[in-house]
């Protein structure tokens, strides 16, 4: 069997039409996601669905909402962990926490929060810094199923070892076990960490500004977007931040060469922490 | 292979030494991009990129998201991210689940490279103690690309090159010290235009 580039070009054409169909029918807009990423996810779906090509997927999603939902899950990659990139959290303590102490009330937005590990990591950090009672944290994602998981804050016990290591490397001041209750095969995040967090649906591509935020975390979401969409979402973040507010991206995401570069100063080039100019 | 437009390299256990030797033998005016996935622990990564840059006549860098692939530059996948090649020859990164227990995975990079470069691609499989890269080589061959494998007898760990030879078949099975020379020669023989 041999394949050639021309066939691939045709497949990408079908893929574009599929994304157009999903948008027109269901309002979810993947048209500006990274195309190789979309193709890999959908190639996988093709292989297990018994359908022959993307055009057949398009036909099926138009008439079968349940099938569309499974595609939606394919396209939302929820891989996450607690205190992912420990040096990042150290930097948050050093650079952002002192600023938060100067405010009586603080608004924080975790965009693309997945199953909640990232936002609970922040809640733990803020509690250790004595800040949690003053915080209103918004945690959003466009995947309803993963949002439910995030609200519950129940995680498999086998992840705890690596989470604990991350916590310690991230400069944790207490014992990680203080923050969860173990129950059979699972651990449950303590209720007091959840009190100031509001989980809600928000699609970064199609929904609007979240006003007057002091800090926005959006890590490992932008890499799935193409350059145009990255710019659009970065503008949304810029408009949602108060002057002097912070934007935290994933370690391989950057404001460099973006449309909003000039509106920010770089706080940590390595950990990708930026501050909106006043 | 119709012409050489990109080189992709996969390496695992023992890969740092093998990569050092390979990269130091590429000629100064090597005319196409080289993209590398090396399995490594996150901690040791930065150090090795700097070291490889020192010994290679070409610029060696850890790649960034959406970076365009340029001739004569060497791109290394960052630890903990998959490296994918987009159809427009830019780099995409993802935190998708591990493949073959690895992130970055050689298969992910090779498979996307096959689609992006078709029959203008050469793949190099170096030392390693697992099977990552085999599926990717299969796809590269199906697209008419070239597969070069380090002679397992010269590899610190033979499993990875051997798996490609046994399951896919290689166009070249040669000792490590000849791979750079072969790539230089393939690049020189490129038809004009
Ligand atoms: C790889 S996870 C990153 C999770 C976490 N921020 C971290 O770094 O560990 C990406 C998350 O972004 C969400 N996402 C992708 N596209 C989105 C969009 N258009 N709007 C909101 N969330 C989105 C996915 O559902 C997924 O939960």
């Amino acid at each position: 069997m041999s394949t050639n580039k021309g066939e691939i070009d045709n497949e990408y054409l079908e893929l574009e039409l599929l994304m157009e169909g999903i948008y027109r029918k269901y309002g979810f807009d993947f048209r500006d996601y990274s195309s190789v990423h979309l193709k890999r996810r959908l190639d996988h779906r093709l292989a297990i669905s018994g359908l022959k090509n993307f055009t057949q997927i398009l036909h099926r999603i138009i008439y079968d909402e349940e099938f569309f939902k499974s595609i939606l899950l394919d396209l939302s990659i929820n891989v996450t962990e607690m205190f992912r990139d420990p040096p990042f959290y150290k930097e948050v303590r050093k650079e952002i926490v002192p600023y938060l102490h100067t405010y009586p009330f603080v608004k924080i937005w975790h965009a693309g929060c997945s199953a909640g590990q990232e936002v609970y990591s922040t809640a733990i950090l803020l509690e250790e810094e004595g800040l949690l009672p003053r915080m209103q944290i918004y945690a959003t994602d466009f995947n309803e199923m993963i949002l439910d998981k995030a609200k519950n804050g129940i995680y498999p016990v086998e992840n705890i070892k690596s989470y604990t290591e991350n916590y310690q490397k991230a400069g944790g001041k207490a014992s990680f076990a203080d923050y969860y209750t173990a129950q059979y095969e699972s651990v449950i995040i303590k209720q007091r960490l959840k009190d100031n967090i509001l989980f809600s649906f928000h699609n970064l591509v199609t929904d609007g500004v979240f006003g007057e935020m002091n800090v926005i975390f959006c890590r490992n979401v932008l890499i799935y977007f193409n350059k145009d969409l990255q710019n659009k979402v970065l503008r949304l973040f810029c408009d949602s931040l108060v002057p002097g507010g912070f934007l935290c991206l994933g370690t391989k995401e950057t404001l460099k060469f973006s449309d909003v570069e000039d509106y920010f100063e770089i706080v940590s080039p390595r950990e990708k922490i930026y501050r909106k100019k006043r | 292979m119709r012409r050489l437009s990109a080189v992709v390299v996969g390496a695992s256990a023992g890969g740092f030494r093998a990569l050092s030797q390979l990269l130091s033998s590429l000629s100064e005016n090597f005319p196409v991009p080289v993209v590398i996935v090396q399995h490594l622990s996150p901690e040791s990564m930065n150090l090795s990129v700097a070291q490889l840059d020192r010994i290679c006549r070409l610029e060696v860098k850890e790649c960034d998201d959406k970076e365009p692939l340029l001739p004569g530059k060497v791109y290394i996948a960052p630890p903990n991210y998959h490296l994918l090649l987009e159809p427009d020859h830019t780099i995409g990164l993802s935190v998708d689940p591990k493949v073959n227990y690895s992130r970055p995975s050689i298969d992910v990079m090779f498979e996307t490279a096959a689609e992006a470069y078709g029959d203008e691609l050469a793949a190099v499989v170096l030392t390693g103690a697992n099977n990552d890269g085999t599926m990717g080589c299969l796809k590269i061959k199906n697209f008419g690309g070239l597969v070069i494998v380090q002679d397992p007898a010269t590899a610190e760990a033979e499993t990875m090159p051997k798996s490609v030879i046994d399951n896919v078949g290689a166009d070249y099975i040669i000792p490590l010290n000849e791979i750079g020379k072969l790539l230089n020669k393939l690049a020189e023989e490129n038809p004009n235009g």
Side-chain angles (χ1 to χ4, degrees):
Chain A
M1 183 193 82
S2 129
T3 327
N4 61 50
K5 282 268 302 154
E7 290 173 38
I8 293 297
D9 294 344
N10 287 340
E11 282 185 48
Y12 272 107
L13 173 59
E14 287 186 69
L15 188 72
E16 272 177 43
L17 297 173
L18 171 56
M19 293 307 133
E20 187 65 33
I22 288 178
Y23 177 58
R24 299 264 295 271
K25 176 81 192 182
Y26 296 103
F28 279 89
D29 190 354
F30 292 99
R31 293 174 301 175
D32 284 320
Y33 276 52
S34 138
S35 48
V36 67
H37 162 68
L38 291 176
K39 182 156 187 304
R40 264 194 88 77
R41 304 306 305 169
L42 291 169
D43 277 345
H44 177 69
R45 174 56 54 182
L46 261 189
I48 59 178
S49 70
L51 298 175
K52 286 203 182 62
N53 53 49
F54 296 147
T55 304
Q56 289 189 349
I57 292 190
L58 172 59
H59 186 268
R60 177 127 178 232
I61 64 123
I62 291 176
Y63 295 95
D64 182 350
E65 184 164 359
E66 288 308 310
F67 186 65
F68 163 69
K69 285 186 182 157
S70 65
I71 298 275
L72 199 56
L73 293 184
D74 290 340
L75 297 182
S76 125
I77 299 296
N78 303 120
V79 177
T80 186
E81 53 189 281
M82 290 195 78
F83 293 99
R84 174 186 222 149
D85 309 316
F88 166 74
Y89 287 90
K90 273 200 164 151
E91 206 72 358
V92 170
R93 277 187 209 264
K94 186 164 140 251
E95 302 290 347
I96 302 183
V97 161
Y99 156 87
L100 299 182
H101 276 293
T102 65
Y103 279 81
F105 180 71
V106 173
K107 281 163 68 171
I108 295 181
W109 179 16
H110 277 268
C113 67
S114 191
Q117 286 89 332
E118 182 183 81
V119 60
Y120 291 127
S121 304
T122 310
I124 288 171
L125 186 155
L126 293 170
E127 185 182 73
E128 292 186 353
E129 300 295 339
L131 284 164
L132 194 55
R134 294 189 237 164
M135 302 288 135
Q136 176 59 56
I137 305 177
Y138 301 88
T140 64
D141 205 283
F142 79 153
N143 176 336
E144 300 270 14
M145 241 166 71
I146 211 75
L147 270 175
D148 281 337
K149 285 197 183 166
K151 270 178 226 164
N152 294 335
I154 301 176
Y155 306 116
V157 73
E158 62 260 28
N159 294 347
I160 288 302
K161 188 162 167 278
S162 78
Y163 290 178
T164 305
E165 279 170 23
N166 282 355
Y167 166 78
Q168 286 160 351
K169 284 191 209 152
K173 293 180 171 173
S175 158
F176 188 57
D178 296 347
Y179 301 111
Y180 60 82
T181 316
Q183 218 182 50
Y184 307 108
E185 300 302 298
S186 313
V187 303
I188 305 178
I189 298 290
K190 289 257 169 85
Q191 180 58 37
R192 64 171 198 276
L193 294 168
K194 299 177 179 168
D195 285 342
N196 300 1
I197 306 175
L198 201 69
F199 290 96
S200 59
F201 179 94
H202 181 277
N203 187 333
L204 288 166
V205 186
T206 40
D207 292 332
V209 166
F210 249 63
E212 307 279 291
M213 291 294 147
N214 298 94
V215 189
I216 297 176
F217 295 83
C218 184
R219 310 193 71 225
N220 302 304
V221 182
L222 295 178
I223 42 175
Y224 292 101
F225 299 170
N226 74 16
K227 273 238 135 122
D228 291 341
L229 185 54
Q230 288 181 349
N231 270 318
K232 181 176 157 187
V233 174
L234 287 172
R235 254 176 277 135
L236 176 80
F237 290 152
C238 190
D239 293 342
S240 301
L241 278 172
V242 299
F246 290 86
L247 175 62
C248 303
L249 303 178
T251 43
K252 293 307 284 183
E253 294 159 334
T254 173
L255 289 189
K256 211 155 105 192
F257 308 124
S258 78
D259 292 355
V260 300
E261 186 175 7
D262 293 343
Y263 296 96
F264 287 86
E265 58 191 75
I266 304 172
V267 175
S268 170
R270 226 189 120 77
E271 301 306 333
K272 303 300 185 317
I273 299 177
Y274 300 90
R275 184 163 197 190
K276 187 173 164 184
K277 291 178 186 165
R278 284 173 191 277
Chain B
M1 188 179 64
R2 192 156 48 92
R3 57 176 286 121
L4 184 68
S5 291
V7 175
V8 291
V9 182
S12 188
F16 181 67
R17 279 201 1 227
L19 281 173
S20 307
Q21 177 153 18
L22 171 64
L23 291 180
S24 63
S25 60
L26 291 180
S27 68
E28 192 175 6
N29 50 4
F30 196 71
V32 304
V34 179
V35 186
I36 298 174
V37 166
Q38 151 88 67
H39 296 157
L40 257 187
S41 65
E43 289 76 21
S44 51
M45 191 63 192
N46 292 318
L47 189 70
S48 62
V49 172
Q51 281 172 331
L52 291 173
D53 186 43
R54 220 167 299 128
I55 54 174
C56 181
R57 280 176 284 259
L58 309 172
E59 183 196 342
V60 181
K61 67 181 304 268
E62 184 181 296
C63 65
D64 289 314
D65 183 43
K66 305 291 177 288
E67 192 170 359
L69 293 173
L70 300 175
K73 288 204 182 188
V74 180
Y75 302 87
I76 301 196
N80 252 322
Y81 288 84
H82 286 302
L83 196 181
L84 297 80
L85 299 190
E86 296 271 355
D88 65 356
H89 299 174
T90 57
I91 283 170
L93 298 176
S94 93
V95 292
D96 284 25
K98 292 182 176 180
V99 173
N100 305 319
Y101 307 100
S102 307
R103 191 173 55 219
S105 141
I106 302 170
D107 277 342
V108 170
M109 195 266 276
F110 279 15
E111 286 170 10
T112 56
E115 295 201 357
Y117 284 95
D119 59 0
E120 303 187 8
L121 182 71
V124 178
V125 178
L126 301 175
T127 168
N130 56 70
N131 297 328
D132 197 15
T134 299
M135 294 305 290
C137 282
L138 187 63
K139 186 151 184 176
I140 288 172
K141 284 235 73 105
N142 285 340
F143 276 77
L146 192 80
V147 172
I148 302 165
V149 175
Q150 175 178 7
D151 182 353
T154 70
E156 263 182 68
E158 62 169 24
T159 313
M160 205 163 84
K162 211 165 165 301
S163 168
V164 175
I165 296 167
D166 293 347
N167 296 297
V168 184
D171 297 286
Y172 294 89
I173 303 170
I174 51 179
L176 181 58
N177 61 8
E178 286 177 23
I179 297 178
K181 274 181 259 172
L182 173 64
L183 291 173
N184 289 333
K185 184 167 138 291
L186 291 169
E188 270 168 32
E189 286 169 357
N190 255 355
N192 287 330

